[in-house]
Amino acid sequence: MTDELVNPDAAGDHDAEIDQLFGAGGPLGGAVGGFRPRRSQTEMAKAIAGAIAQRTTLIAEAGTGTGKTFAYLVPALLWGGKTIISTGTKNLQDQLFSRDIPTVRRALNAPVSVALLKGRANYVCHFHLERTLQNGRLTAREDVGYLREISRFMKTTGSGDKAELTKVPETALIWNLVTSTRDTCFGAECQYYQDCFVMKARKEAQQADVVVVNHHLFFADVALKDTGVAELLPSANTIVFDEAHQLPETATLFFGDTVSTSQVLELCRDVLAEGLSHARDGADWAKLVAPVERAARDLRLAFSQDVVRLALHQIAPSSAFFPALETLISSMEEMLLTLEKQAERAESIEQCRTRAIELSSRLESWGKTPAGPAKAAGKSATGKTGAEPESVLWVEAFSSSLQLHRTPLSIAPIFNKQREGTPRTWIFTSATLAVKNDFHHYTSQMGLVDEPAQSWPSPFDYAEQGLLYVPSGLPQPNSPDYTDAVIDIALPAIEAAGGRTFFLCTTIRAVKRAAERLRAEFEQRALKYPLFVQGELGRTELLDRFRASGNGVLIGSQSFWEGVDVRGEALSLVIIDKLPFSPPDDPVLAARISELEKQGLNGFMHHQLPEAIINLKQGAGRLIRDETDSGVLMICDPRLISKGYGKRIWQSLPPFKRTREIADVQAFFSAKDSASEALVSGKITP
């Protein structure tokens, strides 16, 4: 691929070619089973080709069923030059690399090379595998068998990608012992450097025309310079973000900083092991790490509650938290003195020293930072002078660990800085970027103000294929018995649908209560609907079993609101328990609202509401996945009707017919079942 393929004067020159490629009888039709021309897809591909030709930015919202993947792949593979495609999840990343790109490349006969690049935690590390095999520090009984499988896998794999080894679950703890982190990698000093799978993947990415990454990897690199993307960016002509609605949250995660007591305890574990292995006579290693471990645990115990989310300014000055943090910092300094004396005795002890320095520095800088988003003494909340973005400092406690967060109030200035320099094409695409065709919320979050944005409608006939049901008689969502009331009102709809239901909740607590109630109700009513509950199995296995059951009910929270594709009869009813507003006690949300209100804006209308609408559109998008799908979207929140902003919400959803009567839902499913029976018996043709 050469630069003349991305000539700025070529905007619009590719329109006729795109018409031919996406048209009836074109090459895509021959290569893709069931492909048929869709006007929205063709027009979107033309807009992307124009942005590539001009090396400009395009924000592209495409309704479900548009075929946005092919709409950006065709122009990117033909005219995109060096292209980076970033996806929302590793699953989508694998699908693009293994299925979608090969299909389009074959159809177009495009001579492009493609590479897949993941974060280092996805590749088995030769050094850490060997060390684990030798010292056997295994944390769970099943790890012995898993370790044997990984050892066999290493003899045959070309990539070292753990996704290829399906016999070991992705969540197995053993992976932490056989993969590297930025802190535990020896880099060019490693004896296995020439065989390293991480280095091999990065080298392939350097040489490829198209590189598939994911958002976490992209932004981890921007923040940490540790994933190989930094080396790719200078030569990239085109960058495509698929599932781009996830970017604000992902970027916020990586442009901030988090330090946790778990990291301190892991360091102590490694200091003890490496000290005993390589410098047993250098110190009383157990006695050395004990005060640090105790201080880390005491810091967690400064909060008695199970789950805590507090901004720094919300922590009482008399709290045990502040002295506990000081104790942890000073105890780490003591440990560091010994590590410095013993570091030359082994590379692994030197590595522990480096980690201890970094952890101490991060703890200390967090502790010295002025509280909250307000500036103090000419400094921003990051504690740095100058025009750096302001941050909010907050703590989050879990059952056995405490995290100290520094989160930017806005990622826009940081992300804009990344986009400066060489002109290149930036494509941001998703099914959910706008609120009633207004992109302002998204563009202001990402710093893409005044960039062109377009929306292409779904080809689905929502008025015929679906029904929006908002039941009446529900209490307010903050009522203590709200989830039980939702179950009571949802049961007739679940029965009318014959199971085949996604029950989407906004909290884990609601998932647990819904599962408890439905299990009891199904048994009492002798309803033979298999129940699948988030947390009882892995996400992929839950979905596979739900699809195979044909009449199941799946209860899930946020991870099932998006990126889930169940086509056909298996999913006919999507129930959403309440509007997905962020929890009001979220410290980052509170700081952002405060900042908006200082600017004279309404925090609810300008931030919380558009955020909730985009999330709701994702959840609603699970229902209709192709032209033959049909079903009911049931939103149980009475605010959709009672509040003035409710109209703005349902006008942003697909244009379903609407009802408040369960009789209409029952009639819809009855008509659907009659049509299915007629189709099966041959009385009507598809």
Side-chain angles (χ1 to χ4, degrees), residues 527-542:
L527 296 172
K528 303 295 184 186
Y529 307 142
L531 197 62
F532 304 97
V533 183
Q534 179 179 335
E536 293 182 1
L537 290 168
R539 184 171 181 265
T540 304
E541 192 173 352
L542 272 179

Side-chain angles (χ1 to χ4, degrees), residues 8 52 54-56 234 236-238 419-426:
I52 287 173
Q54 299 281 18
R55 288 189 178 167
T56 54
N237 305 103
T238 302
R419 295 176 64 234
E420 288 171 358
T422 311
R424 57 172 62 96
T425 305
W426 297 80

Side-chain angles (χ1 to χ4, degrees), residues 17 20 25 29 108 117 168 209 295 315 416-417 456 466 564 593 613 662:
E17 196 169 346
Q20 189 267 324
L108 303 178
L117 184 60
V168 180
D209 298 314
I315 303 172
N416 269 336
K417 197 171 179 185
W456 290 272
V564 174
I593 288 172
I613 289 173
I662 185 62

Side-chain angles (χ1 to χ4, degrees), residues 196-453:
C196 175
F197 291 121
V198 173
M199 292 304 127
K200 183 182 173 189
R202 291 181 183 179
K203 189 175 179 183
E204 286 175 359
Q206 284 283 337
Q207 296 166 350
D209 298 314
V210 178
V211 185
V212 185
V213 301
N214 61 63
H215 301 338
H216 277 75
L217 183 74
F218 189 95
F219 285 108
D221 195 276
V222 167
L224 306 173
K225 299 289 180 286
D226 180 50
T227 68
V229 175
E231 293 90 47
L232 296 175
L233 274 173
S235 60
N237 305 103
T238 302
I239 296 170
V240 179
F241 290 109
D242 198 346
E243 302 296 337
H245 64 279
Q246 296 177 7
L247 292 181
E249 189 176 334
T250 308
T252 297
L253 179 70
F254 284 105
F255 290 151
D257 185 40
T258 296
V259 58
S260 75
T261 56
S262 296
Q263 288 171 290
V264 175
L265 293 172
E266 282 167 19
L267 173 65
C268 289
R269 181 196 71 190
D270 290 346
V271 167
L272 179 60
E274 300 307 330
L276 291 174
S277 295
H278 303 288
R280 186 177 285 271
D281 59 342
D284 184 338
W285 294 98
K287 196 172 176 182
L288 181 70
V289 302
V292 184
E293 289 178 327
R294 187 166 55 250
R297 293 194 172 101
D298 286 348
L299 185 62
R300 166 60 191 96
L301 293 172
F303 301 99
S304 56
Q305 308 96 308
D306 275 352
V307 179
V308 177
R309 291 164 69 88
L310 291 172
L312 185 58
H313 65 81
Q314 293 175 309
I315 303 172
S318 58
S319 163
F321 169 78
F322 296 103
L325 180 58
E326 285 302 318
T327 303
L328 177 57
I329 291 167
S330 60
S331 66
M332 285 192 70
E333 285 170 1
E334 290 292 316
M335 184 171 76
L336 194 50
L337 288 172
T338 302
L339 285 172
E340 282 171 349
K341 288 175 189 167
Q342 303 297 325
E344 62 187 27
R345 297 184 63 176
E347 282 180 2
S348 52
I349 297 179
E350 165 61 23
Q351 198 173 64
C352 287
R353 184 188 75 88
T354 307
R355 285 165 64 190
I357 290 170
E358 187 181 345
L359 269 178
S360 294
S361 167
R362 287 163 66 194
L363 284 166
E364 207 165 336
S365 73
W366 193 95
K368 287 180 178 175
T369 308
K375 291 185 179 178
K379 291 184 179 181
S380 72
T382 58
K384 297 175 184 175
T385 55
E388 293 200 17
E390 291 183 70
S391 298
V392 59
L393 298 171
W394 55 291
V395 300
E396 186 171 23
F398 302 94
S399 56
S400 60
S401 69
L402 184 77
Q403 296 184 342
L404 310 180
H405 299 281
R406 182 204 311 277
T407 304
L409 284 179
S410 171
I411 62 159
I414 316 171
F415 186 58
N416 269 336
K417 197 171 179 185
Q418 301 304 320
R419 295 176 64 234
E420 288 171 358
T422 311
R424 57 172 62 96
T425 305
W426 297 80
I427 306 294
F428 300 82
T429 184
S430 168
T432 54
L433 294 174
V435 176
K436 271 187 70 182
N437 288 324
D438 179 356
F439 290 86
H440 177 75
H441 176 65
Y442 184 76
T443 56
S444 60
Q445 280 184 303
M446 294 298 297
L448 300 172
V449 181
D450 296 329
E451 297 289 11

Side-chain angles (χ1 to χ4, degrees), residues 494 499-501 503 518 522 529-532 546 551-555:
I494 294 172
R500 303 183 295 182
T501 300
F503 197 116
L518 285 179
F522 288 176
Y529 307 142
L531 197 62
F532 304 97
F546 174 81
N551 67 337
V553 175
L554 187 150
I555 309 174

